[in-house]
Amino acid sequence: MAIRVDAYTSGGMASGTLARPGGLREVLEDGGGLPLDGAAWQGLEDATAQPAGSMSIPSDDILIVVGDDDPGVPVHAAWHHIHLEVGPYTLEGELPTQPGFDPGRALMRPSGEFLMLRDIRLSIRTRPEAGVAVGDHALVNRYTVDRIRAELQLGFFFPGAVVDPIGTAGGLA
Protein backbone atom coordinates (compact mmCIF):
# COMPACT_ATOMS: atom_id res chain seq x y z
CA MET A 1 0.00 0.00 0.00
CA ALA A 2 1.37 3.39 -1.00
CA ILE A 3 1.89 5.87 1.83
CA ARG A 4 1.17 9.53 1.05
CA VAL A 5 3.74 11.80 2.75
CA ASP A 6 4.21 15.52 3.43
CA ALA A 7 7.75 16.25 4.64
CA TYR A 8 8.47 19.68 6.13
CA THR A 9 12.03 21.03 6.03
CA SER A 10 13.52 24.41 6.89
CA GLY A 11 13.16 25.42 3.22
CA GLY A 12 9.63 24.19 2.49
CA MET A 13 7.50 21.09 2.01
CA ALA A 14 7.79 18.06 -0.24
CA SER A 15 4.72 15.95 -0.95
CA GLY A 16 4.73 12.56 -2.60
CA THR A 17 4.37 8.83 -2.17
CA LEU A 18 6.84 6.80 -0.13
CA ALA A 19 9.04 5.08 -2.70
CA ARG A 20 9.96 1.98 -0.74
CA PRO A 21 8.21 -0.68 1.33
CA GLY A 22 7.86 -0.39 5.08
CA GLY A 23 6.32 2.02 7.51
CA LEU A 24 7.14 5.72 7.49
CA ARG A 25 8.88 5.69 10.88
CA GLU A 26 11.02 2.68 9.82
CA VAL A 27 12.16 4.49 6.68
CA LEU A 28 13.02 7.66 8.63
CA GLU A 29 14.90 5.81 11.37
CA ASP A 30 17.05 3.64 9.09
CA GLY A 31 19.58 6.47 8.69
CA GLY A 32 19.09 6.95 4.96
CA GLY A 33 16.77 9.40 3.35
CA LEU A 34 13.07 9.68 2.70
CA PRO A 35 12.52 8.60 -0.93
CA LEU A 36 9.43 10.08 -2.58
CA ASP A 37 7.87 9.29 -5.97
CA GLY A 38 5.57 11.70 -7.78
CA ALA A 39 6.90 14.46 -5.55
CA ALA A 40 6.05 18.15 -5.57
CA TRP A 41 8.09 20.84 -3.81
CA GLN A 42 6.71 24.05 -2.31
CA GLY A 43 9.13 26.56 -0.82
CA LEU A 44 8.11 28.59 2.21
CA GLU A 45 7.51 31.70 0.11
CA ASP A 46 6.03 29.92 -2.94
CA ALA A 47 2.32 30.14 -3.63
CA THR A 48 2.11 26.81 -5.46
CA ALA A 49 3.93 23.50 -5.46
CA GLN A 50 6.20 22.61 -8.38
CA PRO A 51 6.57 19.05 -9.72
CA ALA A 52 9.85 17.47 -8.58
CA GLY A 53 9.49 13.87 -9.87
CA SER A 54 11.38 11.43 -7.66
CA MET A 55 13.46 12.82 -4.84
CA SER A 56 15.09 11.78 -1.59
CA ILE A 57 15.31 14.00 1.47
CA PRO A 58 17.99 13.20 4.07
CA SER A 59 16.28 12.22 7.35
CA ASP A 60 18.33 14.81 9.25
CA ASP A 61 16.84 17.58 7.06
CA ILE A 62 13.27 16.62 7.92
CA LEU A 63 11.70 18.62 10.75
CA ILE A 64 8.16 17.22 10.64
CA VAL A 65 6.59 14.52 8.51
CA VAL A 66 2.92 13.68 8.07
CA GLY A 67 1.86 10.40 6.48
CA ASP A 68 -1.40 8.60 5.92
CA ASP A 69 -0.11 5.30 7.34
CA ASP A 70 -1.03 3.78 10.69
CA PRO A 71 1.32 5.37 13.25
CA GLY A 72 1.00 2.55 15.77
CA VAL A 73 -0.61 4.57 18.56
CA PRO A 74 0.54 3.35 22.00
CA VAL A 75 -2.02 1.41 24.01
CA HIS A 76 -3.10 2.91 27.38
CA ALA A 77 -1.12 6.08 26.76
CA ALA A 78 -1.71 9.29 28.69
CA TRP A 79 -1.83 12.17 26.21
CA HIS A 80 -0.33 15.61 26.94
CA HIS A 81 -0.95 18.77 24.96
CA ILE A 82 2.30 20.18 23.62
CA HIS A 83 3.25 23.28 21.64
CA LEU A 84 6.50 23.11 19.65
CA GLU A 85 8.47 25.57 17.59
CA VAL A 86 10.40 23.61 14.98
CA GLY A 87 12.40 25.64 12.47
CA PRO A 88 9.92 27.96 10.73
CA TYR A 89 6.89 25.97 11.92
CA THR A 90 4.60 25.87 14.94
CA LEU A 91 3.30 22.41 15.76
CA GLU A 92 0.64 21.66 18.35
CA GLY A 93 -0.60 18.23 19.24
CA GLU A 94 -0.69 15.56 21.90
CA LEU A 95 2.35 13.56 22.97
CA PRO A 96 1.86 10.07 24.46
CA THR A 97 3.45 8.91 27.71
CA GLN A 98 2.82 5.80 29.75
CA PRO A 99 0.28 6.14 32.60
CA GLY A 100 1.91 7.42 35.78
CA PHE A 101 4.84 8.90 33.85
CA ASP A 102 7.02 11.14 36.06
CA PRO A 103 9.65 13.04 34.06
CA GLY A 104 11.90 13.46 37.11
CA ARG A 105 12.00 9.74 37.86
CA ALA A 106 11.63 8.24 34.41
CA LEU A 107 14.11 5.53 33.62
CA MET A 108 12.83 5.11 30.12
CA ARG A 109 13.91 7.74 27.65
CA PRO A 110 12.57 8.14 24.14
CA SER A 111 14.52 6.26 21.52
CA GLY A 112 14.86 7.17 17.91
CA GLU A 113 14.96 10.49 16.17
CA PHE A 114 11.23 10.93 15.48
CA LEU A 115 8.41 11.16 18.04
CA MET A 116 4.73 10.80 17.21
CA LEU A 117 2.12 13.44 18.04
CA ARG A 118 -1.61 13.04 17.42
CA ASP A 119 -4.34 15.58 16.60
CA ILE A 120 -1.84 18.02 15.14
CA ARG A 121 -2.10 21.63 14.00
CA LEU A 122 0.79 22.87 11.88
CA SER A 123 1.47 26.41 10.67
CA ILE A 124 4.30 28.61 9.45
CA ARG A 125 5.29 30.71 12.45
CA THR A 126 6.08 33.90 10.53
CA ARG A 127 3.02 33.63 8.25
CA PRO A 128 0.00 32.55 10.30
CA GLU A 129 -2.26 34.04 7.61
CA ALA A 130 -1.10 31.24 5.29
CA GLY A 131 -3.36 28.91 7.25
CA VAL A 132 -3.17 25.90 9.49
CA ALA A 133 -2.84 22.27 8.42
CA VAL A 134 -4.55 19.73 10.67
CA GLY A 135 -4.03 15.99 10.77
CA ASP A 136 -4.44 12.79 12.72
CA HIS A 137 -0.75 12.46 13.50
CA ALA A 138 2.78 13.61 12.65
CA LEU A 139 6.33 12.54 13.38
CA VAL A 140 8.60 15.30 14.65
CA ASN A 141 12.39 15.20 14.59
CA ARG A 142 13.05 15.68 18.30
CA TYR A 143 16.58 17.01 17.69
CA THR A 144 15.31 19.96 15.62
CA VAL A 145 12.79 21.38 18.12
CA ASP A 146 13.70 24.93 19.21
CA ARG A 147 11.08 25.60 21.90
CA ILE A 148 8.55 23.58 23.94
CA ARG A 149 5.49 24.55 25.95
CA ALA A 150 3.80 21.66 27.75
CA GLU A 151 2.14 20.64 30.99
CA LEU A 152 5.07 18.31 31.78
CA GLN A 153 8.78 19.03 31.84
CA LEU A 154 9.77 17.24 28.64
CA GLY A 155 13.23 18.65 28.00
CA PHE A 156 14.86 15.23 27.67
CA PHE A 157 12.38 14.36 24.89
CA PHE A 158 13.72 17.32 22.90
CA PRO A 159 17.43 17.87 23.65
CA GLY A 160 18.60 21.43 23.07
CA ALA A 161 15.12 22.96 23.07
CA VAL A 162 14.14 25.84 25.33
CA VAL A 163 11.40 24.75 27.74
CA ASP A 164 8.73 27.36 28.55
CA PRO A 165 6.62 26.35 31.54
CA ILE A 166 2.87 26.91 31.33
CA GLY A 167 1.86 30.31 32.62
CA THR A 168 4.81 32.21 31.10
CA ALA A 169 4.44 34.53 28.17
CA GLY A 170 3.07 32.51 25.30
CA GLY A 171 2.39 29.51 27.54
CA LEU A 172 -0.49 27.14 26.99
CA ALA A 173 -3.92 28.27 28.07
Side-chain angles (χ1 to χ4, degrees):
M1 175 169 114
I3 298 172
R4 186 90 189 119
V5 176
D6 293 330
Y8 296 85
T9 70
S10 59
M13 179 189 69
S15 295
T17 304
L18 188 60
R20 73 173 241 209
L24 181 55
R25 177 177 264 156
E26 293 169 30
V27 171
L28 291 169
E29 298 283 354
D30 80 356
L34 177 66
L36 298 176
D37 283 337
W41 173 258
Q42 182 173 358
L44 288 176
E45 302 301 324
D46 298 338
T48 59
Q50 302 298 317
S54 293
M55 64 186 302
S56 182
I57 305 169
S59 294
D60 290 344
D61 290 349
I62 297 172
L63 306 176
I64 303 162
V65 64
V66 178
D68 66 359
D69 64 336
D70 179 1
V73 176
V75 178
H76 304 298
W79 294 91
H80 307 279
H81 186 77
I82 188 167
H83 175 103
L84 304 173
E85 293 179 7
V86 187
Y89 307 101
T90 297
L91 178 64
E92 290 187 56
E94 293 185 336
L95 178 77
T97 63
Q98 292 302 313
F101 174 77
D102 178 358
R105 303 173 117 205
L107 296 175
M108 226 171 130
R109 299 292 193 232
S111 62
E113 191 171 349
F114 290 86
L115 296 178
M116 194 270 299
L117 300 180
R118 75 172 186 187
D119 299 334
I120 59 119
R121 295 175 48 84
L122 176 69
S123 62
I124 300 172
R125 192 169 45 242
T126 59
R127 293 189 16 231
E129 74 281 356
V132 174
V134 296
D136 292 334
H137 66 279
L139 297 171
V140 60
N141 184 332
R142 66 192 195 100
Y143 298 108
T144 63
V145 172
D146 301 313
R147 184 175 297 275
I148 309 163
R149 283 190 289 279
E151 59 194 31
L152 292 177
Q153 291 298 318
L154 299 171
F156 62 84
F157 274 79
F158 305 98
V162 173
V163 178
D164 288 338
I166 294 176
T168 62
L172 295 172

